[in-house]
Amino acid sequence: MGEKVVAGQFDLSDRQRYRTKLRQCLTGLERLLADKRFDRPKNLLGLEIELNLVGPDGMPKMMNAQVLERIASRDFQTELAMFNLEVNIAPHRLDGRVFDRLAEELRTSLAYAHRKAKEVEAGIMMIGILPTLDRDDLVSSNLSDVDRYTLLNDQIVAARGEDFTLDIDGVERLSCTSKSIAPEAACTSVQLHLQVTPARFADVWNAAQAIAAAQVAVGANSPFLFGRELWRESRPPLFTQSTDTRPPELQAQGVRPRTWFGERWISSAYDLFEENLRYYPALLPICDDEDPLGVLDEGGVPKLGELVLHNGTVYRWNRPVYGIADGVPHLRVENRVLPAGPTVTDVIANAVFYYGLVRALAEESRPVWTRLPFEAAAANFDAACRHGIEARFQWPRGGRFGGIAEVDAVHLVRDELLPLAEAGLDAWGVEPADRDLYLGVIEERCRRRANGASWQAATFHRALEKGLPRDAALSATTRRYSELMHLGEPVHTWPVGLPERVPLG
């Protein structure tokens, strides 16, 4: 939620006015769709990566304001906590050598940011959840000094009315409470944007939902939180629980959480925006002066500010986005399932796999979502988060008999999804050299059954076997990860374990 807001209190009249404005915005969106006012196909992609700041000891550094002052670039912004940053890459046309260019831009930006961070004895780290985070790091006093984060925290806490419960049962179990949404800041992700026309939106979103599990299985990179080994991708349960406005009674009634996979395939982008209004009360009832329907009546393009703000407080794993560029409205699918890291090559490989696969699946004559129950897609996502590259999925059988079969994630990716991704990238016009390089990274992860999560867990256990105490093993694993991340070779090539001599600090 990038809106600039001013912290303050809201009364009943604010909420009533906001509800009215939201309905006007939704009507405005409906009219824009009916009048075909949206941008023509431009095949634009965008990329955002959330980052951690760490010291030489692998511990989080609460100093994003100092680091951002030194970076002095609009490409870098604050994120929720003081140990977070976000880097945004400008939109690119999806064709040719776009992924080679993206990789070079990212390497240049991150190397520059890392150099600047080192001036204050910090460094940049791309990882889903920093293994060295402690509960004392994730408290409200460590939220970034930005009004919107303070206000968002206050409103979610007020809506919940009691402490947040974190209860994640994985390899080990974590059970604790938090008085704020600060644990959400542990989750650092990659967000992949794809601009689509209204006519293609539903097919692209449905395809993205269907493959979210496969993305997580090959890209998992978040096995630790607060010293416990949990799920291979622990961000989704952590994000869900740390933003949950529902007390236990509302959970028992089946009220939907604000972090949500969804419950059905869709037929229009309008379905998602309408659901967001129907299911979720406003957290930030801040109104602007625009009359969206009046703007439309005069032939203009409304900003739909209240709808955009509200949409930013509903955390779908594939989120619909309304935006305006050069005076023309457009729609994007924002894919939010992937963790950050481990390396630039891995991030780009994950992106290549996604953009190729979503194009191919969206254009199939018999789409996968007509053959896969939505409940199975949601169960696959849960299995991928729990088990990572060792997950098993339910997936439609090939051939004329149809039906659903259980399949290893690596076999599904290697045998069925990678060829589809290749075809999708060809349809985008991506250069074969880029296509083969980055899909080859995904193929090697499947062949070796290795990704960021499996490397972290295996290296941590090797450290324990060497006799390191648990905290020292996590710290040593984090420092080794940072070293290999900055060397830049993809994670499936990383040697498991620590160098022979590792200080215990």
Side-chain angles (χ1 to χ4, degrees):
M1 186 200 69
E3 300 299 314
K4 291 185 177 179
V5 298
V6 178
Q9 298 297 314
F10 303 114
D11 59 25
L12 288 177
S13 64
D14 294 320
R15 296 188 180 279
Q16 290 165 351
R17 182 170 179 243
Y18 190 77
R19 188 185 297 275
T20 300
K21 286 292 298 285
L22 273 177
R23 288 173 178 158
Q24 291 173 353
C25 287
L26 189 63
T27 300
L29 177 67
E30 188 175 29
R31 283 177 54 179
L32 285 166
L33 290 166
D35 295 344
K36 296 182 168 54
R37 295 280 302 278
F38 283 86
D39 205 357
R40 302 294 182 264
K42 287 187 176 178
N43 298 347
L44 290 179
L45 65 84
L47 181 66
E48 305 170 50
I49 306 177
E50 295 164 350
L51 307 164
N52 290 282
L53 290 172
V54 296
D57 56 359
M59 305 302 289
K61 297 279 277 190
M62 306 293 168
M63 53 195 325
N64 60 3
Q66 298 93 310
V67 173
L68 282 169
E69 185 179 0
R70 284 165 172 78
I71 293 174
S73 167
R74 292 181 181 177
D75 294 342
F76 288 83
Q77 300 174 0
T78 54
E79 253 299 328
L80 183 59
M82 292 181 181
F83 64 91
N84 297 144
L85 297 178
E86 181 176 271
V87 61
N88 297 277
I89 300 298
H92 284 61
R93 188 174 175 81
L94 214 172
D95 61 11
R97 299 302 299 272
V98 61
F99 294 110
D100 203 36
R101 295 196 303 274
L102 277 175
E104 185 58 33
E105 285 182 36
L106 265 180
R107 288 191 184 99
T108 301
S109 294
L110 294 178
Y112 171 73
H114 187 60
R115 286 197 306 273
K116 291 299 180 181
K118 286 173 75 173
E119 293 177 6
V120 288
E121 298 185 348
I124 300 292
M125 193 163 171
M126 287 195 299
I127 192 167
I129 296 175
L130 190 62
T132 50
L133 283 170
D134 185 80
R135 287 178 61 185
D136 291 340
D137 296 318
L138 292 169
V139 293
S140 57
S141 59
N142 283 335
L143 294 178
S144 294
D145 187 19
V146 178
D147 281 341
R148 68 176 181 268
Y149 299 133
T150 302
L151 185 54
L152 185 64
N153 177 68
D154 291 347
Q155 294 301 304
I156 291 180
V157 169
R160 183 173 175 84
E162 58 190 73
D163 288 354
F164 297 87
T165 299
L166 304 181
D167 191 350
I168 305 173
D169 194 5
V171 178
E172 300 173 304
R173 184 169 185 175
L174 172 70
S175 183
C176 63
T177 60
S178 172
K179 295 187 179 300
S180 75
I181 66 169
E184 179 200 330
C187 306
T188 45
S189 66
V190 171
Q191 287 128 41
L192 303 173
H193 290 255
L194 180 61
Q195 184 177 325
V196 293
T197 60
R200 287 175 54 99
F201 186 97
D203 288 344
V204 170
W205 188 87
N206 289 337
Q209 289 285 99
I211 64 168
Q215 289 181 269
V216 170
V218 296
N221 196 28
S222 314
F224 297 108
L225 177 65
F226 298 160
R228 303 291 174 86
E229 185 179 354
L230 302 174
W231 295 10
R232 284 302 180 250
E233 186 50 49
S234 303
R235 287 169 40 259
L238 172 59
F239 206 109
T240 300
Q241 294 176 19
S242 62
T243 59
D244 199 345
T245 54
R246 308 167 304 162
E249 295 80 8
L250 291 184
Q251 295 180 35
Q253 292 174 40
V255 173
R256 297 157 182 84
R258 293 193 87 95
T259 301
W260 197 36
F261 187 80
E263 61 191 15
R264 66 185 176 108
W265 307 114
I266 65 166
S267 58
S268 164
Y270 180 85
D271 294 351
L272 300 178
F273 288 100
E274 188 275 333
E275 279 185 352
N276 285 356
L277 266 65
R278 182 155 42 100
Y279 293 152
Y280 299 103
L283 286 178
L284 303 172
I286 300 166
C287 296
D288 63 24
D289 296 328
E290 180 184 73
D291 174 3
L293 302 182
V295 171
L296 276 171
D297 290 341
E298 294 172 2
V301 177
K303 299 190 299 291
L304 307 183
E306 292 81 10
L307 186 72
V308 170
L309 179 59
H310 182 66
N311 193 59
T313 65
V314 179
Y315 305 102
R316 294 178 182 269
W317 294 110
N318 283 292
R319 176 189 273 167
V321 178
Y322 170 88
I324 301 173
D326 300 323
V328 182
H330 66 263
L331 294 172
R332 303 194 304 274
V333 174
E334 181 190 16
N335 178 260
R336 301 160 49 82
V337 306
L338 288 166
T343 65
V344 169
T345 298
D346 289 302
V347 167
I348 298 300
N350 291 339
V352 169
F353 180 56
Y354 168 75
Y355 286 117
L357 191 51
V358 82
R359 169 79 184 249
L361 289 180
E363 294 182 349
E364 280 191 317
S365 57
R366 192 174 170 224
V368 66
W369 55 91
T370 65
R371 298 175 285 133
L372 181 71
F374 193 92
E375 296 77 12
N380 288 345
F381 183 69
D382 185 77
C385 294
R386 289 177 183 271
H387 305 296
I389 206 151
E390 300 296 338
R392 291 181 63 80
F393 297 154
Q394 302 169 66
W395 197 256
R397 285 193 184 94
R400 62 181 183 176
F401 297 107
I404 303 293
E406 188 171 88
V407 60
D408 275 347
V410 292
H411 293 150
L412 175 66
V413 171
R414 190 176 58 201
D415 299 339
E416 184 171 341
L417 301 186
L418 278 173
L420 283 168
E422 183 175 336
L425 293 164
D426 289 344
W428 286 122
V430 170
E431 284 286 336
D434 275 15
R435 177 199 69 199
D436 295 344
L437 170 65
Y438 292 110
L439 291 186
V441 170
I442 305 297
E443 185 174 17
E444 278 298 298
R445 286 193 214 150
C446 291
R447 188 176 73 81
R448 303 185 192 202
R449 290 181 178 260
N451 59 16
S454 68
W455 182 91
Q456 287 186 59
T459 297
F460 168 70
H461 285 287
R462 290 273 185 92
L464 291 181
E465 290 165 8
K466 282 188 170 187
L468 269 67
R470 192 178 184 89
D471 287 350
L474 284 168
S475 179
T477 299
T478 303
R479 294 196 305 273
R480 179 62 171 158
Y481 177 106
S482 181
E483 176 187 340
L484 293 169
M485 184 204 88
H486 286 290
L487 289 174
E489 293 300 316
V491 73
H492 68 263
T493 68
W494 291 8
V496 170
L498 304 171
E500 281 306 307
R501 298 193 179 191
V502 177
L504 298 181

